[in-house]
Amino acid sequence: MQNETYEPLRIEKKWQENWISQNKFLPKESEKVFSIVIPPPNVTGSLHMGHALEHSIIDVITRIKRFQGYKTLWLPGTDHAGIITQLLVEKNLEKDGISKYDLGRENFLNKVWDWKEESGNTITTQMKTLGMSCDWSRERFTMDEGLSEAVKKVFIELYEKGLVYKGSRMVNWDIKLQSAVSDLEVSSTNEKGKLWTIKYSVDDTFIEIATTRPETLLGDTAIAVNPNDERYKHLVGRKALVPIVNREVEIVADDYVDQDFGSGCVKITPAHDFNDYEIGIRHNLESIQCIGFDGNIVNEEFIPKELRGLERFEARKAIIKQLTDQNKLSNIEDYDLQIPRGDRSKTILEPMVSEQWFVKTKQLAEKAIQVVESEEIKFVPKNWEKTYFEWMYNIQDWCISRQQWWGHRIPAWYDNNGKIYVGLNEVEIRKSNKIDEDTILYQDEDVLDTWFSSALWPFSTLGWPDKTKDLEEFYPTSLLVTGFDIIFFWVARMIMMGMFSMESIPFKDILIHGLVRDSQGRKMSKSLGNTLDPLELSEKHGADALRLSLIEKANPGQDVPFDEEWTIASKKFGNKVWNAAKFVHLYSDEEFSEEVIEVNSPENIWILHTFNSTLTQFNESIENYKISDAYKLLYNILWSEQFDWYFEFAKTLISKSTHSKETKYVLRKIFLESLKLLNPAMPHLTEEIWSSFKKTYLIDEEWPVEISITDSESNQIEQLKELISQIRNFRTNYKISNKIILEIYITGNLPDWFLVQLQEIAKVKVINSKNSNSSSKIVFSALNISLEINAEEYIDIDFELTRLNKKINELEKSRNISEQRLQNVNFINNANQELIDKEKNNLENLTEEIELIKATIKNLTI
RNA sequence: GGGAGAUUAGCUCAGUCUGGCAGAGCACUUGCUCGACACGCAAGGGGUCACAAGUUCAAAUCUUGUAUCUCCCACCA
């Protein structure tokens, strides 16, 4: 690699293929097990920044666990994503003017499978491009045979325990999808609307009723007032006349009504409003459907002819016109309202009463709450627990049937009398229920909510319901990494289903990551045009650079602001590491031996200590899933301590000391150990570099442990660094070229190695005597070490005096604070002794430094 | 209406749990072809820690309140 430059693309593909062909991502036998299942992306989707972030986090953790000797499984797979995929295929067919009904169910499903086969590999291929270390031999799909069996099995078990039921209830109906959707799939948006006040006749007078949806009056079956409302008390029990349909309805009293809103009277349409539905039940009201499942006004006798079949919002206009004409409209005002729209279709949802399948959630939720309360399952960060509990305590039954074709068909059959049979298949059902061939059975047309199968993912992917070895070994999984947006959709339901089917938690920790945003903190969205394509970024700067740039910002729960700049910076870091490797080769290849060598020189001892403390902090951060902290630390330590300071020290040691052999050993040792820490974030680069040093695979290595050092660390290296910086600063200020060797006077005894490094790195010549001949002296000092230089030939005295005075000012400020603190009786009495000693020491140092500078000033002004 | 989070350098964020002289990266300024690296090296500039009051010898950090922003959840017709 000595003559090569860092080209990520060249090495990345090579290693991806190599690792997979050498089975490096398969779990290796060990007592300790670490398993993680991927949050399955949509099978027809392609990778976006959110995936790239999530997968990078998972891959880093997985690779670390693999290093740490765990039997490590990262199980990949995809989700059939019922509604989205079906919509996509439908849209595609539309281009050729074909509807799904033209094809029929079976042919349409064949088309979807074709589509899945065609585009299903896109996302997994893209994951491979980013170097994700999944066990591809265990890849699963929510609609593959095994998982479909699992879905049926769970449905049947739930049904048999009475936890799944079919019922006629009010649900959110999506007119475009022609399907029910669950509460979670509804997003309320603030929109401008109107509030109409309509007069309803009561005998020869009338009452006023405000509504935002006048078309529903066709289905009104009551008027409600608050029981305490003095204005209307006398009307309760009397009849009002619904305009247009001229239906007589009762005026009822119900607490739900807010006296202070509108007129204090509410029209009640049990068939088309969630609250009205409840009131309808309380008051035993008739439920009259006036809007059909197609979104049009129903074609019924009670509806005036001219309104029948009208689209719901057209009907609204027509009704407003009729009311106006009949002088029944007393007020119209602009009104901000919450409009429920379907997440997928974006159409306005219609509450409808219909027959659907539901999961009874109360009982399932209890266990799911308990395991989080007892911290068997931990949210990271912890505060997401609250969100989880909040939802769990108020959980509603889950509507799981969808009037769609693409998905797991509900394993329920009906005979001609409408009797329900639930079972694995028709044959099975006939057998167990003793139904002869003459009786015709129909399977339920509906499919299950996609999230139903996702809820089983942690165990269905491992082979359940069979008692497989994988299931036994890898369940419960160790960790779930996911976004907060699907805590309810997915996380909560996995816990419920895990507890139900496995009687055990599905995962131990839940690491919640944030959203990838743009550099200004805005959500990435197509409409804003601020999206970035992870594959494009990886092609431009390398997968390793992309991964590191995401990882560096990914602390638990935090959003990840992102800019291509970050990836470019990571690429530069990769380049730095690449060149550092070349440096290590250049300085250590010759005369290098693998044997462990005793380390004596302070510079080497220092870098080993630095490595050890970095390792400790790094491990601690990772334990707490603070991946960002860990990698930021590594980035800084490698770049500034190892590659800058230590490499300079090493040059001197190798060429100018008797520690050459030991230094070669340390130089290579800490570099290679550091590569292991970096590997999970930048696997390709580090594997490539490793292969230039060793014949083994880096991925097969063990995680570093602290390097044992007999000597304790001294602070002399820090003093040396400080002095070098000061001398460099002096050069910069006076534009003294690096080529000029400055003469430095020193008295007292500093060790030889110290002086050698000082001379080499600061480009000075040390003269070990008192400086007697000069009037203009500059003093450099670090703690108890001070050096002098004859300065008259370089310096501008005024400039230097200004600079030194400024410095004295700063130091005196600090000294004053320190003095005041020490003179403060309360401080002395209250603070602990250690702190007081530290403060005294600090004051001493400051005083000494100030004296030195004062002496320098005196010298300069003579 | 209920809940969660945020506010520290131009930008993105550490630091707050456990009080003790404000940190990093990027960006910026200046100098530098010194054999790993100009995707670099070196030296710099830059902050009333949102605001207010309190506790304390001492507050970015603890307490209370205020302001602004983000995000969830919720049926006011």
Side-chain angles (χ1 to χ4, degrees), chain A residues 20 23 25-27 73-76 134-140 470:
Chain A
I20 289 175
N23 292 330
F25 301 154
L26 268 50
L73 171 65
W74 176 10
L75 189 148
C134 308
D135 179 353
W136 298 104
S137 71
R138 284 180 166 85
E139 185 182 345
R140 300 306 295 264
D470 272 7

Side-chain angles (χ1 to χ4, degrees), chain A residues 757-803:
Chain A
Q757 290 290 8
L758 187 68
Q759 295 197 116
E760 288 298 312
I761 297 174
K763 304 275 189 315
V764 294
K765 181 169 172 22
V766 171
I767 297 165
N768 208 338
S769 76
K770 232 187 158 77
N771 180 19
S772 52
N773 60 354
S774 172
S775 54
S776 306
K777 287 186 269 188
I778 299 275
V779 177
F780 304 105
S781 67
L783 296 174
N784 50 6
I785 300 173
S786 64
L787 308 169
E788 259 179 44
I789 185 170
N790 285 333
E792 77 262 43
E793 54 178 305
Y794 307 116
I795 65 172
D796 171 334
I797 293 192
D798 287 341
F799 178 91
E800 193 59 22
L801 286 176
T802 318
R803 192 181 73 87

Side-chain angles (χ1 to χ4, degrees), chain A residues 623-646:
Chain A
E623 289 270 295
N624 297 313
Y625 299 111
K626 292 192 168 185
I627 299 166
S628 162
D629 287 7
Y631 279 95
K632 271 188 201 156
L633 172 76
L634 185 66
Y635 181 102
N636 288 331
I637 294 288
L638 283 183
W639 202 314
S640 63
E641 302 299 327
Q642 195 176 129
F643 302 159
D644 285 343
W645 282 110
Y646 178 68

Side-chain angles (χ1 to χ4, degrees), chain A residues 89-277:
Chain A
V89 176
E90 277 184 60
K91 222 184 219 169
N92 229 35
L93 287 170
E94 253 170 49
K95 284 181 204 155
D96 305 327
I98 306 170
S99 87
K100 64 177 171 182
Y101 302 107
D102 298 337
L103 292 173
R105 186 167 186 142
E106 200 174 325
N107 288 330
F108 177 77
L109 284 178
N110 286 336
K111 288 271 179 212
V112 186
W113 277 107
D114 288 349
W115 179 277
K116 185 255 166 188
E117 292 309 322
E118 244 173 77
S119 61
N121 289 329
T122 310
I123 203 154
T124 47
T125 309
Q126 290 172 327
M127 284 179 70
K128 288 173 187 166
T129 307
L130 297 186
M132 300 306 163
S133 64
C134 308
D135 179 353
W136 298 104
S137 71
R138 284 180 166 85
E139 185 182 345
R140 300 306 295 264
F141 173 53
T142 47
M143 276 184 47
D144 67 26
E145 219 172 292
L147 269 68
S148 300
E149 280 306 298
V151 166
K152 277 190 231 169
K153 190 96 195 279
V154 171
F155 184 93
I156 293 164
E157 281 178 5
L158 284 166
Y159 180 78
E160 282 168 357
K161 295 214 162 104
L163 294 174
V164 150
Y165 63 92
K166 191 176 190 186
S168 181
R169 292 217 345 221
M170 179 155 277
V171 293
N172 291 292
W173 182 262
D174 190 310
I175 279 154
K176 186 171 168 203
L177 299 176
Q178 282 294 294
S179 175
V181 295
S182 83
D183 304 347
L184 283 176
E185 291 160 282
V186 182
S187 298
S188 286
T189 52
N190 269 314
E191 292 179 33
K192 296 252 177 268
K194 297 216 187 296
L195 187 64
W196 288 275
T197 307
I198 303 168
K199 298 176 191 169
Y200 282 49
S201 305
V202 180
D203 299 333
D204 47 1
T205 174
F206 63 85
I207 51 173
E208 291 187 318
I209 289 165
T211 181
T212 53
R213 303 184 57 205
E215 68 279 11
T216 59
L217 69 74
L218 300 173
D220 282 359
T221 54
I223 301 295
V225 296
N226 189 290
N228 303 317
D229 195 331
E230 294 300 333
R231 292 172 298 176
Y232 301 117
K233 257 188 176 159
H234 63 289
L235 293 178
V236 175
R238 290 173 66 183
K239 304 278 185 192
L241 197 65
V242 179
I244 298 180
V245 286
N246 293 321
R247 181 184 303 128
E248 263 202 344
V249 298
E250 196 177 335
I251 298 169
V252 299
D254 196 286
D255 284 334
Y256 158 74
V257 181
D258 178 353
Q259 307 184 33
D260 301 324
F261 187 87
S263 61
C265 298
V266 189
K267 61 192 257 339
I268 304 300
T269 321
H272 295 291
D273 182 282
F274 282 92
N275 291 310
D276 293 5
Y277 181 74

Side-chain angles (χ1 to χ4, degrees), chain A residues 562-584:
Chain A
F562 192 87
D563 193 282
E564 187 168 353
E565 285 299 319
W566 312 155
T567 308
I568 293 170
S570 296
K571 161 87 190 300
K572 289 181 183 176
F573 178 69
N575 186 250
K576 183 76 183 174
V577 175
W578 180 268
N579 284 293
K582 280 161 83 169
F583 175 90
V584 175

